[in-house]
Amino acid sequence: MADRYANFANSGLGRTVVKRLGLPDPPRLRRHRAGDPLVNGPVLLGAAPGGRLSEPIRKLLGAAGAEVTDQNPDGVRVSALVLDATGITDSTGLRALYDFFHPYARSLEVSGRVLVLGTPPEATATPAEATAQRSLEGLTRSIGKEFGRGVTAQLVYVAPGGEQAVESTLRFLLSGRSAYVSGQVVRIGAGDVPAPADWDRPLDGKLALVTGAARGIGAAIARVLARDGADVIALDVPAAGDALADVANEARGRALQLDLTADDAPERLAGYLAAGPHTGVDIVVHNAGITRDKTIARMSEDRWDSVIGVNLTAPERVDDLLLERGLIGSGGRIVGVASIAGIAGNRGQTNYATSKAGVIGRVQAYAPVLLPRGITINAVAPGFIETAMTAKMPIGLREAGRRLNSMSQGGLPVDVAETIAWLASPGSATITGNVVRVCGQSLLGA
């Protein structure tokens, strides 16, 4: 459904009215298009004394075709502000944040990018260093709300030994692929990660399973993974067969009609994957989900059970069997689709919020278990995304969902899909246990 207010606000008359009345000002976001450069202009790179990431970052950006500069005395518009804050070891060192951002904040272009790079507090040497590194979260989230104009701000904690594993994340967060991701904290673990042969097709040779793929976010995920080189199995219930076939054809993949809540569904899926030419699966995206909204006092047992069954129990059963039979092997990626409802809660959605909080819980519980097997598990948590489902919401709730974030607009299904493609990349091998919100930095939740 078209966002008429955003279209008006970006018109000549609309910009005048919005500015004069102080109304929400949704910018036109920079989203990825084929052939786009990583950034549109220079990247200003700074570092607190003693930082360990600025030189690796400088080399990676240069190899990716970006112009990197250490200063901008003429106030030229830059595409990104990147600060290596790993050298900050106590609260007095936090002055480096002010010294970098204060003079350069106004030089950032529309839809620019801010990245702060730190050390995970749990991996620091002293309590004072842990305190200082944790402080970076407040700065980054605040910048995401201050800068406006489509600017995104992220904090990336890089574990010692993970200096050579940052390229995939750097390419995602600086590019138009992360247009609706802001105010997030990403953790990169230690380890070297070989770069894909082609960063435009990092999933070449990979087989991806996408559930709930017939429409909306699921269809976008299938398309983006296929664009990035994956062979896609698009799965949905038999009732969605025609739409599912269309998506599979568009992605040049295979359609699989299966109700994952059926008792024999995990067994049938495992048999299908074992018999296929690929023998197993590299990427599993648990996107299938339903809502059955009522306040808990008015909710029937069926509404509760069906939502928990589809959104949480079915992915648990599928993963358990595929992992038991070795059908997700080393290098595998599991990505769940949670929701900001699972973080902040939502009136009338106790069942849905419970299931989506459970998706987050699975990620956090399974990440350390799967890491020794070379398998990562992460989740995305969408906020208000423009889909057929949100188009049916009452206009008041719909407008609130669109405006109550730093971008003053809803996201698109492709924004969720791009985030999943980043987590699915071979270059993201040391990223696990993360929950990344795709919500334009919603004002709800943390």
Side-chain angles (χ1 to χ4, degrees):
M1 182 176 179
D3 185 342
R4 295 180 180 177
Y5 174 82
N7 291 337
F8 170 74
N10 280 288
S11 68
L13 173 62
R15 296 207 62 78
T16 301
V17 172
V18 165
K19 184 175 181 180
R20 185 166 297 174
L21 298 181
L23 298 174
D25 186 9
R28 294 193 186 279
L29 303 183
R30 174 172 68 98
R31 288 188 168 91
H32 173 74
R33 296 175 299 180
D36 279 355
L38 178 63
V39 290
N40 293 328
V43 175
L44 187 60
L45 176 62
R52 58 186 167 84
L53 289 170
S54 58
E55 287 312 307
I57 295 298
R58 186 186 307 276
K59 292 178 182 178
L60 288 175
L61 289 174
E67 176 189 349
V68 183
T69 181
D70 297 317
Q71 53 186 346
N72 187 24
D74 299 324
V76 174
R77 290 289 183 187
V78 298
S79 287
L81 299 174
V82 179
L83 177 64
D84 174 11
T86 57
I88 298 176
T89 57
D90 59 34
S91 61
T92 63
L94 294 172
R95 176 59 187 266
L97 307 177
Y98 175 87
D99 290 343
F100 179 71
F101 286 108
H102 175 70
Y104 297 130
R106 292 182 177 87
S107 66
L108 200 58
E109 67 180 16
V110 174
S111 282
R113 301 290 186 256
V114 173
L115 291 187
V116 178
L117 303 155
T119 300
E122 63 273 16
T124 54
T126 67
E129 184 179 2
T131 300
Q133 290 296 314
R134 179 59 178 79
S135 299
L136 302 178
E137 292 193 29
L139 170 95
T140 309
R141 296 189 198 277
S142 296
I143 282 177
K145 294 177 178 178
E146 280 188 8
F147 281 20
R149 302 179 304 120
V151 171
T152 67
Q154 328 289 351
L155 171 60
V156 181
Y157 282 132
V158 182
E163 293 80 7
Q164 303 305 315
V166 299
E167 186 168 7
S168 175
T169 299
L170 202 69
R171 285 177 174 270
F172 172 67
L173 294 178
L174 289 180
S175 74
R177 301 172 193 267
S178 59
Y180 203 62
V181 176
S182 189
Q184 298 307 289
V185 178
V186 175
R187 281 176 159 76
I188 299 177
D192 291 335
V193 178
D198 183 353
W199 278 105
D200 289 328
R201 292 180 60 84
L203 303 181
D204 268 339
K206 304 295 184 182
L207 179 65
L209 170 70
V210 181
T211 71
R215 57 181 61 84
I217 292 173
I221 296 167
R223 295 186 193 105
V224 169
L225 296 184
R227 179 205 66 192
D228 285 0
D231 294 323
V232 175
I233 299 172
L235 183 151
D236 216 314
V237 293
D242 290 344
L244 183 66
D246 290 341
V247 171
N249 288 336
E250 187 177 350
R252 297 182 180 179
R254 289 176 275 163
L256 177 59
Q257 297 182 22
L258 183 64
D259 180 354
L260 289 176
T261 63
D263 290 342
D264 63 345
E267 184 70 41
R268 290 171 59 191
L269 178 59
Y272 180 87
L273 295 172
H278 197 85
T279 311
V281 64
D282 301 296
I283 301 160
V284 178
V285 182
H286 293 293
N287 168 73
I290 62 171
T291 57
R292 298 290 185 269
D293 297 350
K294 285 286 184 181
T295 60
I296 196 164
R298 297 176 179 273
M299 185 179 296
S300 66
E301 292 180 3
D302 178 67
R303 285 176 180 266
W304 179 275
D305 292 341
S306 61
V307 169
I308 300 297
V310 172
N311 298 0
L312 185 57
T313 305
E316 286 180 320
R317 295 173 63 224
V318 165
D319 284 349
D320 286 349
L321 189 59
L322 297 186
L323 290 167
E324 177 187 324
R325 297 192 179 177
L327 293 172
I328 306 174
S330 181
R333 304 281 184 269
I334 301 172
V335 185
V337 176
S339 168
I340 62 168
I343 298 170
N346 204 10
R347 187 182 186 278
Q349 288 195 317
T350 52
N351 49 1
Y352 184 76
T354 298
S355 70
K356 294 305 185 178
V359 171
I360 294 169
R362 287 188 68 240
V363 165
Q364 295 170 339
Y366 273 85
V369 175
L370 297 178
L371 186 59
R373 298 172 61 172
I375 300 169
T376 68
I377 181 168
N378 297 282
V380 297
F384 185 94
I385 305 296
E386 300 282 358
T387 64
M389 182 177 71
T390 55
K392 296 176 182 178
M393 294 172 62
I395 187 170
L397 290 176
R398 186 167 67 240
E399 285 302 302
R402 284 171 169 160
R403 309 305 162 210
L404 292 178
N405 61 75
S406 295
M407 304 298 172
S408 297
Q409 61 193 283
L412 301 179
V414 71
D415 297 323
V416 181
E418 295 282 16
T419 308
I420 289 172
W422 156 58
L423 294 171
S425 170
S428 301
T430 66
I431 301 172
T432 193
N434 283 254
V435 179
V436 180
R437 298 198 322 177
V438 186
C439 62
Q441 197 178 14
S442 172
L443 304 184
L444 302 174

